[in-house]
Structures are given as structure tokens and as C-alpha cells.
Amino acid sequence: MDKMLSELFEIAQELLDGSQDTGRLERLTPGELVQRVPLGLGPKGVPMDQVLDRMRQVVRYTPKTSSPRFFNQLFAGCQQAAAAAEMLTGLLNVSMYTYKVAGPMILIENEVLGRMCRVASFPDGFGIAVPGGSMANLVAMVLGRNKALPNMRAEGSDGRRMTFYVSKEGHYSIVKNAGILGTGRDNVRPIDSDDRGRMCVRALQAAISKDIEEGAVPCAVVATMGTTVLGEFDPLREVAEVTRRHNIWLHADGAYGGTMLLHPEGRKKFDGLELADSLTWDAHKAMGIPLMCSMLLTRDPHVIRECMGETADYLFQGDEDLLNPGTRSLQCGRRNDTFKLWAAWLNLGDEGWAERIGKQLHLAAYAADRIRSEPRMSLCQDPVSTNICFRVDGLAADEACTALQEAGEALIGHGTVREEVVFRLVTVNPELLETQLDTLFEAILRLL
Amino acid sequence: MDKMLSELFEIAQELLDGSQDTGRLERLTPGELVQRVPLGLGPKGVPMDQVLDRMRQVVRYTPKTSSPRFFNQLFAGCQQAAAAAEMLTGLLNVSMYTYKVAGPMILIENEVLGRMCRVASFPDGFGIAVPGGSMANLVAMVLGRNKALPNMRAEGSDGRRMTFYVSKEGHYSIVKNAGILGTGRDNVRPIDSDDRGRMCVRALQAAISKDIEEGAVPCAVVATMGTTVLGEFDPLREVAEVTRRHNIWLHADGAYGGTMLLHPEGRKKFDGLELADSLTWDAHKAMGIPLMCSMLLTRDPHVIRECMGETADYLFQGDEDLLNPGTRSLQCGRRNDTFKLWAAWLNLGDEGWAERIGKQLHLAAYAADRIRSEPRMSLCQDPVSTNICFRVDGLAADEACTALQEAGEALIGHGTVREEVVFRLVTVNPELLETQLDTLFEAILRLL
């Protein structure tokens, strides 16, 4: 293993150097790739040094999500303490079901979840780590459904229609999950948004009233805290007034925006969060933690256990329940996704997170100013977080994104705002320099 | 990052040395742990060198799943090419939804899934990587349910009872998932096993007939290929005769036993697999791949897309559908869990896997012989795979496991076989030496 480790660290070094490189992104088509790197598996093995060579080539051609030219998704860059912990996690390879197998990692997970609950104004709250925001939303939907229909878990559906509510700007996982959970994709009500892309509370109230009149059982309202395209926040306190009135589960989907809780300005967007029942918060998006690092937090400390608790005597042996998170997790065997977040939090502290988010917001403001100052570009609206949506006169955003990628200039995505396809720039990498944003805008304008 | 990387390398080196160490396992109670290593997070950050020191301490006290004294769960040890790939995966940090973001890793995943489908006798099959066997089973249950009730995905339940079937020795995730999927935990029929712990097909037929008579809709039968305690295999071909007769989805849960497909003797246990509709296969169990590495494979290449397919124009941009696995995966953002399996497979080839499994089976046979030769120990039954269940006259297995753990002798679990609590030894680590098994048995006998 020793020789393997030293060669591995060389590759890691090259990878880190390459990620910080400001040179153009190299992009190969699938056809070009398989010509340069043989990927096929066969009956015969290959010695370890050749495996490492092959890995080195694959790494070379893999898009660099920490590159200053990567703006494609709601994550970018990498917090260094988290990167170190992530590499050790793979070597340690414990499964997070019991203290017996995972030892200190269980205490670390409890510390991280407890701290996130307090930040989220769930002082007695509880949480579980899940493999992604879609899965966090799925668990929240199970909790809401099972609270609305207490016999559901044991007996299954009684045939009454079960409805969910999310704004048209919300994440597609709500509809997808409804297809999985047996409540039906058609029973997710897409609620109109206001002119900034925030859920329209009057439309929400109308949809709920209509469903109740028709005998349906509203299971949960999902307020989106950081929409995928505009980065907007639903008006949580007003939404909570509606859910409280009808005793419906209120889930805050902060998969993307949850991180803003750690910034004094961002926190204001969450006014009313103490009235929500659950919160999705992905640390692998805006916090620079390697994938996956996603949490579902609940205000009530018992509800996850009530709706998801299991026993299995072949597995959960020794130690008290709190130390055996497998008794209440979505998965059985589970990778350790919290050591890396703990390491980053230890490194930064709450104050370091606030500073880091401040940098992201500053970059967003810089980008918005740059767009305002350029006659051929215009903002769809003033950014409230780290998403900047804009149009360029004479450019189709989707075609322009492809052209930028093909030229190796940048990986950037597009989104649809009020039926117009526009550029969506995301400034979640706090290491980014203003000059690197300038480079991006110049590359875009060169397409004209 | 450079200094971080070299210190990290040192910690990794210590960890690998410690894992191969044959010395006693160090175990701290939660109270002792927090006294030795401060785990709390606070408002102020801590410099990177101190973070690395703290991480070094945490690593020291984390149970070593690659130790020759670790027999606790259905995984142990670590394949070296996989370990290397896993460490790079965290640094690369691509999300496996699109070719645009993940590049060659998508082609690698397709290669791995294709190879596994062919091994599983699904020549035109299809697969997805999922975060664990429980989730693979969940997806299989969704497929079965939605095929039985084609309006389910869009409209939700119509109130008819939906039933699933799994043997009493099957995994608890089937019941748990029924609680999540809205079909009801009570509607999972626990089917009696025969005297070796294999599903009794006559009991299965009777349960299905009764449910159909009563108007229920059977959604899937789960055949367990490698039970958690005895490592037994349900009679797949006979089960398939029943499911074909009634047109019910047949899912083979090979989370643990799937690996045996790569061994000529093990393959025989899967007679009839070509008649199954889906297969769960965890490479993070018996294949020595770091967690998570779990696949759901289907015989029909289209069914996953039919039952799980989604579009999202903010995300799935460019490239053809096959290159954007996010359009059909359970998750949205998704960690790359297949690069490590590809690296191991490249290193070993099919032949290397067979050899590796041969070693595991040899160790199981050695352990069984050792037990047979010791008058105070007896086997519950002859092992068919890598699980050896046995009793020791005068020892309560659960108490003995705790005593072994407290003495640092071994991490080993217990299970219930025909209402008796017995030792469950698992020989999934092929690096284990016969003398290390001797050491375990001597430690057990010293407890007498």
C-alpha cells in the first residue's frame, strides 16, 4: 500500500495544481475520450502501477469543479480541511450505523447535527445525514405525510388523495419524490410565484382550500429557501401562517440556501424558520464540502424516530440508541458524510463561515455591477444571494453556454426566468477573483 | 494545499500501518473519547495544522475496519486500487448527473454497470448506482409497485392493498421501505424459511394466493441472495415460477451475496437469475470497495426510466440522455461511487475477483473445520458462503461479543438462528490469515 499511497499523492498534487490553473478547460467528447483512455474491463487484471497510470489519465480529463472557470452548478471549489477529511474518510471506511463500528465519528456527527439545529432555530431539534437534498426532501415528505395520516406507516394508503405544495420555482425532487412515495406526481400543486420568483401565499392558500374541500389530505408545504435558478427565498413566516392554520407540515427546502443561515444578512431571509417543521440543508453546495453532505433537520426531536425508526438485532448491538444512528436513518450501511463538515467547521468556526459567505455575496454584487455597467447585458433582477441571472442582447444563452464550453472558456449554465432562457451565473466559490469574473464576461461578449 | 497534502499523507500512512497491525483494538467509551479529543465546534476557527492534529487523534480512535480483528459486519478490508480511486474521488468532486460536469466518470459508470449486468445474466440490462442496498431495494419496490399499478406514479394510490413478500431471514429494509413508500409495513408478508433459512416456496405461493383472493395487489417478491445472518440463498428458480405464474415483479436482493456471481461455485446459487426482474448488488460489502458502492440492475433496459425518469432544464444540458444519468437516478446531485469499483475491477479482472472470492470461501471452510474439531463449539449449519454461525457451550454469544470487544480482542457480531443467539463470523476480508482466525477462536475459548 505504501508505494500506492506515494503515487496517489503525486496524482492528487497534479490534480490540485490543475484545479487552480486558470488555463482553458479541456473538453473531450465521449468518442475522443475512449480513444485516448481505454476504459474497458475484462477477464484479466492489470498491475497496480498501470491502474494508477490509467487513473491519472482519467483524472486529467475529468472536469475540474474547483477551477476558476467552473460556474456550472450550485457547488464549486473545495474547503481544504474538508478535502483532507474526505480523503481519510475513504481509508477509514466505517459505516455510520453504530458506535461499535464508527466510534468517534458518531459523536462528531451528533456535534455537527446539533450545531446545525441550533443555527436553524431548532434548539431541541434533531437531524439525520442523508445522501443528498432530494433524499432529505423525501424524508421530510414522509414525515409530513405520516403525521397527516397516522396509520400510513403501518397500513399504507387508504385511498384518499394526498397533496403537496411547492412553488413553480421549487426543486423537481418534490414531484419526483411524490412519484416514489405513492402519493402521485399529479398531486403536487405547483404554486404560482410572485414577480421575483417567491411563492405567492394567496395562491397557496387557495390551492389548499380547494383540496380540503374536495376531500384531499394536504401532507406538506415546501417553502424553497434558495431557488435553483434565481436563488430566491419563499416568504417563510407568511407560509407558516397558512400551514399553522391548517395544521400542515411545513418543510423548508434550504438545500442550496441553507448555508445563508450562517451569515447575518442571509439569516434575515429565514425569518419564521422557528415555525417550520423541517429543513433540508446541503453542505456540499455553498459550503465547499465534497459531495455528499446533506442534512435533514427537524424541530421536533422525536418525529424522525416515530416515522423512520427500525430495529435489527443482527446489527444494532451494544450502546444506547442515540449512539446508533442506523436505527433512524434512511439507509442501513451509510458512508460517513459528516467528518468533512466537522473538519471544515473546526477550521472556520461560525465566524469563518460568515466571512466565507460574505465573499460569495461580494462576488455576486461585483458580477451584478459589471452586468449593469455593460449596455449589451442586463440583469433579470437584482440578486439576493449567489445566483445572478442575466441576458445578453443578441445571444441565445443556451447556445452561448455550449460555445463557451467548447472553447474551454468556462462551464456555465442557463435557466428559464419568466419563460426566457437566460444565463445563470453562480458565485459559490469564494476563492474566485474579480478578475476571473471579468474574464468570464469578456469571453461572453466575444461571442457577439 | 501543498502542506496540507503532505501532512495528510502522513496520517494516511499511520492509518494504513495501524489497520494492518495485529495488536489489540483500542476502544474508548464516548465519555473517555470526549475527554481525550475535544470535538466541540464554536464561533472561532482553528488553524489548519491544529485541525490536522485533531483529525489525527480522531483517526487513531476510530475502529479499524481493515484490521484482522474486525469481523463485525458484512464488510472488512479494502481493495487497494479502490482505496486510491476513492481518495481521488473526494478531490475531484464531480456530481454524477451530467457528462458536462462529470466527463469520463459517466463513461466509467456505464462500463461498470454494463459489465455487472452481463455478469448478472441481464445481457440487455440497465442499472443505476444508489446510496446503499436499502435504497436499491427501495427502487426495486417502486418498479414492482408501479408495474403492478400503472397509474401509481402519476395519480398515487387508489386505496387497494399493496403487498410485498420476503422471507423471515430477509433484510429489514423491505419492511422499512414499505413504511416509506406508502404501501404499509404490515403489508410485507414475512414468508417462512426452510430448515436452512431459505424461503419456503410453498408458503410464498400460499401467501400470494390468499392476498389475491382478498383483493390485494402483489407488487413484488424479494428473494434474498445472501441472508444477513446465515449467508443463505433463496431458491431463485422456484421463486421465479411463482412470480411468473402471477406476473409479479421478482427482485433478487444480492446486496451481500451478489458478489458470489463472480465465482464459479457461487454462481450456481443464482440459478434462475435470468428470470428475475431486478438485482441489488453492493460492491462495498464482499468486494472490499469503500462505502458506498451499491447498484440496482434491471433486466428490462427501459423500466427505470419509465418509473423514475425526470427532466429539469436548469440541470440536464447538452449531450444525449445516456450520458446524463441524473435523468433517471434516485438522487439529483450524486457522489461518484463507481470510479473506485472500476479501478478495482481493472486491477483484478474477472479472474482476480474469482480468486479473491475463493480466498474468502477458503477462510470460511477453514473456520468451519476449526469449529467442527473443537468439542465445545458447534456449527449451526454448514456454511454456504462467507458467514459461519456457531455456538460455544457455556457462553452466551451476545455477552461474549461484548467481552471480546472490551478486551480489544475482536469486533465480532451475533445473530439469531432458529431463536437461538449465536456467534456470526464473517470472512469477507481475503487478506485474513488462518492464524488470525486461530487467534479469534482462542480468544473466544479463553472466555470459558
Side-chain angles (χ1 to χ4, degrees):
Chain A
M1 289 285 249
D2 287 15
K3 184 152 173 289
M4 179 278 274
L5 212 55
S6 64
E7 288 196 38
L8 176 65
F9 273 82
E10 260 179 51
I11 303 176
Q13 192 65 60
E14 284 170 26
L15 165 56
L16 288 177
D17 294 346
S19 297
Q20 282 145 20
D21 190 359
T22 53
R24 300 208 173 183
L25 301 170
E26 195 160 15
R27 181 190 191 262
L28 298 183
T29 64
E32 289 164 342
L33 251 169
V34 294
Q35 281 205 325
R36 293 208 203 171
V37 195
L39 300 176
L41 301 170
K44 299 275 176 207
V46 157
M48 193 59 200
D49 55 335
Q50 288 178 36
V51 173
L52 284 162
D53 276 350
R54 204 81 63 91
M55 281 169 48
R56 191 187 295 259
Q57 288 174 284
V58 170
V59 165
R60 176 171 169 204
Y61 294 118
T62 301
K64 301 296 175 294
T65 59
S66 293
S67 156
R69 292 176 184 269
F70 183 84
F71 308 93
N72 184 243
Q73 294 302 333
L74 302 178
F75 71 98
C78 189
Q79 205 283 337
Q80 67 166 341
E86 175 71 346
M87 290 181 83
L88 291 174
T89 295
L91 279 184
L92 278 167
N93 197 33
V94 296
S95 183
M96 296 293 280
Y97 30 45
T98 60
Y99 183 79
K100 192 169 176 179
V101 176
M105 296 303 175
I106 302 292
L107 305 183
I108 282 175
E109 183 162 287
N110 288 346
E111 173 70 19
V112 168
L113 288 167
R115 189 134 202 111
M116 292 176 94
C117 278
R118 287 192 296 279
V119 168
S121 35
F122 296 162
D124 307 313
F126 195 74
I128 54 173
V130 287
S134 293
M135 294 294 96
N137 289 341
L138 182 134
V139 173
M141 290 168 76
V142 169
L143 303 180
R145 183 197 66 187
N146 288 10
K147 291 303 267 187
L149 293 159
N151 296 331
M152 192 72 191
R153 187 171 188 230
E155 298 170 16
S157 159
D158 61 9
R160 277 184 290 172
R161 187 182 296 272
M162 296 171 273
T163 51
F164 291 90
Y165 307 83
V166 64
S167 93
K168 288 178 174 170
E169 305 291 320
H171 194 252
Y172 76 94
S173 59
I174 308 304
V175 172
K176 177 179 179 174
N177 290 337
I180 292 169
L181 295 177
T183 57
R185 289 163 52 93
D186 295 352
N187 298 321
V188 177
R189 307 298 182 217
I191 307 298
D192 279 335
S193 302
D194 68 13
D195 57 358
R196 284 199 57 94
R198 297 169 298 202
M199 182 188 272
C200 172
V201 179
R202 198 175 298 175
L204 171 68
Q205 176 62 68
I208 291 172
S209 298
K210 180 164 180 290
D211 280 327
I212 292 174
E213 259 177 51
E214 292 175 359
V217 181
C219 291
V221 173
V222 179
T224 309
M225 310 310 286
T227 58
T228 48
V229 178
L230 286 162
E232 266 290 354
F233 294 77
D234 284 346
L236 205 47
R237 186 171 295 281
E238 293 168 48
V239 173
E241 276 169 31
V242 177
T243 56
R244 294 249 153 161
R245 193 176 305 141
H246 298 284
N247 195 26
I248 302 172
W249 188 272
L250 172 54
H251 175 61
D253 177 5
Y256 180 37
T259 303
M260 285 290 159
L261 283 162
L262 290 161
H263 187 269
E265 279 306 304
R267 184 68 182 79
K268 292 178 186 164
K269 299 288 174 193
F270 287 85
D271 176 51
L273 182 59
E274 70 283 2
L275 303 172
D277 296 291
S278 54
L279 172 70
T280 292
W281 179 352
D282 287 358
H284 63 243
K285 290 196 169 78
M287 291 170 90
I289 311 297
L291 293 148
M292 314 292 302
C293 191
S294 179
M295 309 295 151
L296 179 77
L297 309 176
T298 59
R299 187 162 40 79
D300 175 337
H302 306 296
V303 65
I304 291 176
R305 234 178 291 237
E306 279 166 35
C307 294
M308 305 275 293
E310 294 289 340
T311 57
D313 67 357
Y314 83 93
L315 178 59
F316 305 121
Q317 300 174 358
D319 305 305
E320 51 183 297
D321 191 49
L322 191 63
L323 295 173
N324 289 336
T327 55
R328 54 191 176 268
S329 60
L330 178 61
Q331 298 152 275
C332 173
R334 179 164 63 85
R335 190 171 188 278
N336 178 3
D337 288 338
T338 36
F339 182 43
K340 54 194 171 187
L341 177 55
W342 174 83
W345 210 309
L346 189 67
N347 187 206
L348 294 172
D350 303 342
E351 294 173 6
W353 286 125
E355 195 185 319
R356 195 177 185 281
I357 297 160
K359 282 185 198 164
Q360 296 168 329
L361 292 172
H362 171 81
L363 288 166
Y366 179 84
D369 280 345
R370 184 78 171 71
I371 291 163
R372 283 190 200 96
S373 72
E374 172 57 59
R376 290 162 297 179
M377 299 198 288
S378 56
L379 290 168
C380 297
Q381 63 192 47
D382 290 340
V384 293
S385 55
T386 42
N387 289 25
I388 306 101
C389 290
F390 64 99
R391 60 183 78 78
V392 180
D393 295 343
L395 279 187
D398 45 358
E399 291 168 17
C401 289
T402 303
L404 289 168
Q405 184 189 7
E406 285 175 355
E409 291 282 3
L411 265 187
I412 176 172
H414 49 85
T416 305
V417 175
R418 294 178 280 275
E419 296 175 17
E420 181 188 11
V421 177
V422 298
F423 290 91
R424 184 196 64 169
L425 169 64
V426 181
T427 58
V428 284
N429 182 354
E431 309 298 326
L432 211 64
L433 304 174
E434 293 176 3
T435 53
Q436 290 164 340
L437 283 171
D438 293 339
T439 306
L440 170 69
F441 288 119
E442 285 153 21
I444 292 174
L445 291 173
R446 269 201 304 276
L447 295 175
L448 279 167
Chain B
M1 288 285 250
D2 287 15
K3 186 153 171 291
M4 179 279 273
L5 211 55
S6 66
E7 289 197 38
L8 178 65
F9 177 90
E10 266 180 44
I11 301 176
Q13 193 64 59
E14 283 171 28
L15 166 57
L16 287 177
D17 293 346
S19 296
Q20 284 146 20
D21 191 1
T22 54
R24 300 206 172 185
L25 301 170
E26 195 160 17
R27 181 191 191 261
L28 298 181
T29 64
E32 289 164 342
L33 249 171
V34 293
Q35 281 204 325
R36 293 207 203 170
V37 194
L39 299 177
L41 301 171
K44 299 275 176 206
V46 158
M48 195 60 201
D49 56 335
Q50 288 178 38
V51 173
L52 283 162
D53 276 352
R54 204 80 64 87
M55 280 169 48
R56 189 187 296 258
Q57 288 174 284
V58 170
V59 165
R60 178 175 167 199
Y61 296 117
T62 301
K64 302 297 175 293
T65 59
S66 293
S67 158
R69 292 175 183 270
F70 184 85
F71 308 93
N72 184 242
Q73 293 303 331
L74 302 178
F75 71 98
C78 190
Q79 204 283 338
Q80 67 167 341
E86 174 72 344
M87 292 180 83
L88 291 174
T89 296
L91 279 184
L92 278 168
N93 196 36
V94 296
S95 184
M96 296 292 279
Y97 30 45
T98 60
Y99 183 78
K100 191 169 176 178
V101 175
M105 297 302 176
I106 303 292
L107 306 184
I108 282 175
E109 184 163 287
N110 288 347
E111 173 70 18
V112 169
L113 287 166
R115 190 132 201 112
M116 292 175 93
C117 278
R118 285 191 298 275
V119 169
S121 35
F122 296 162
D124 307 313
F126 195 75
I128 54 173
V130 287
S134 293
M135 294 295 97
N137 289 342
L138 183 133
V139 174
M141 291 167 75
V142 168
L143 303 182
R145 183 197 66 188
N146 289 11
K147 289 304 267 188
L149 293 158
N151 295 331
M152 192 72 191
R153 187 172 189 229
E155 296 170 17
S157 159
D158 60 10
R160 277 183 290 173
R161 187 182 297 272
M162 295 170 272
T163 51
F164 290 90
Y165 307 83
V166 64
S167 93
K168 287 177 175 170
E169 306 291 320
H171 195 250
Y172 76 93
S173 59
I174 308 303
V175 172
K176 178 179 180 176
N177 290 339
I180 291 170
L181 295 178
T183 57
R185 288 164 52 93
D186 295 352
N187 299 321
V188 177
R189 309 296 182 219
I191 307 300
D192 278 334
S193 302
D194 68 14
D195 58 357
R196 285 198 57 95
R198 296 170 297 202
M199 183 188 272
C200 172
V201 178
R202 198 176 298 176
L204 171 68
Q205 176 61 69
I208 291 173
S209 298
K210 181 165 181 289
D211 280 327
I212 291 175
E213 258 177 53
E214 292 175 0
V217 180
C219 292
V221 173
V222 179
T224 309
M225 310 311 287
T227 59
T228 49
V229 178
L230 285 162
E232 266 290 355
F233 293 77
D234 285 346
L236 205 46
R237 187 171 295 280
E238 294 169 48
V239 173
E241 276 168 30
V242 177
T243 56
R244 293 250 154 161
R245 192 176 308 141
H246 298 283
N247 195 25
I248 302 171
W249 189 271
L250 172 54
H251 176 60
D253 178 6
Y256 180 37
T259 303
M260 286 291 160
L261 282 163
L262 291 161
H263 188 270
E265 279 305 305
R267 184 66 184 78
K268 294 179 186 164
K269 300 288 175 193
F270 287 86
D271 176 50
L273 182 60
E274 72 281 3
L275 303 172
D277 296 292
S278 53
L279 171 71
T280 292
W281 179 353
D282 288 357
H284 64 243
K285 290 195 169 77
M287 291 170 90
I289 311 298
L291 292 148
M292 314 296 295
C293 191
S294 179
M295 309 297 150
L296 179 75
L297 309 176
T298 59
R299 185 163 41 80
D300 175 338
H302 305 297
V303 64
I304 292 176
R305 234 179 289 240
E306 278 166 37
C307 294
M308 306 276 291
E310 294 288 342
T311 57
D313 67 357
Y314 82 94
L315 178 58
F316 304 121
Q317 299 174 358
D319 305 305
E320 53 184 296
D321 192 49
L322 191 65
L323 295 173
N324 289 335
T327 55
R328 55 192 176 265
S329 61
L330 179 62
Q331 298 153 275
C332 172
R334 179 164 63 86
R335 191 172 186 279
N336 178 2
D337 287 340
T338 35
F339 183 41
K340 52 195 171 188
L341 177 54
W342 174 83
W345 210 308
L346 190 65
N347 187 205
L348 295 172
D350 303 343
E351 293 173 6
W353 285 124
E355 195 186 319
R356 196 177 183 280
I357 298 160
K359 284 185 197 164
Q360 296 168 330
L361 292 172
H362 171 82
L363 288 165
Y366 179 84
D369 279 345
R370 185 77 172 70
I371 291 163
R372 285 190 200 96
S373 71
E374 172 58 60
R376 291 163 296 180
M377 299 198 288
S378 55
L379 289 168
C380 298
Q381 64 192 47
D382 290 340
V384 293
S385 54
T386 42
N387 289 26
I388 305 101
C389 291
F390 63 100
R391 58 183 81 76
V392 180
D393 294 344
L395 279 186
D398 46 357
E399 291 167 17
C401 289
T402 303
L404 289 168
Q405 184 188 8
E406 285 173 355
E409 291 282 3
L411 265 186
I412 176 172
H414 48 87
T416 305
V417 175
R418 295 177 278 276
E419 293 175 19
E420 182 189 11
V421 177
V422 297
F423 291 90
R424 183 196 63 168
L425 169 64
V426 181
T427 58
V428 282
N429 183 353
E431 308 298 325
L432 212 63
L433 305 174
E434 292 176 2
T435 54
Q436 290 164 341
L437 283 171
D438 293 339
T439 305
L440 170 70
F441 288 118
E442 284 153 20
I444 292 173
L445 292 173
R446 271 201 303 277
L447 295 175
L448 279 167

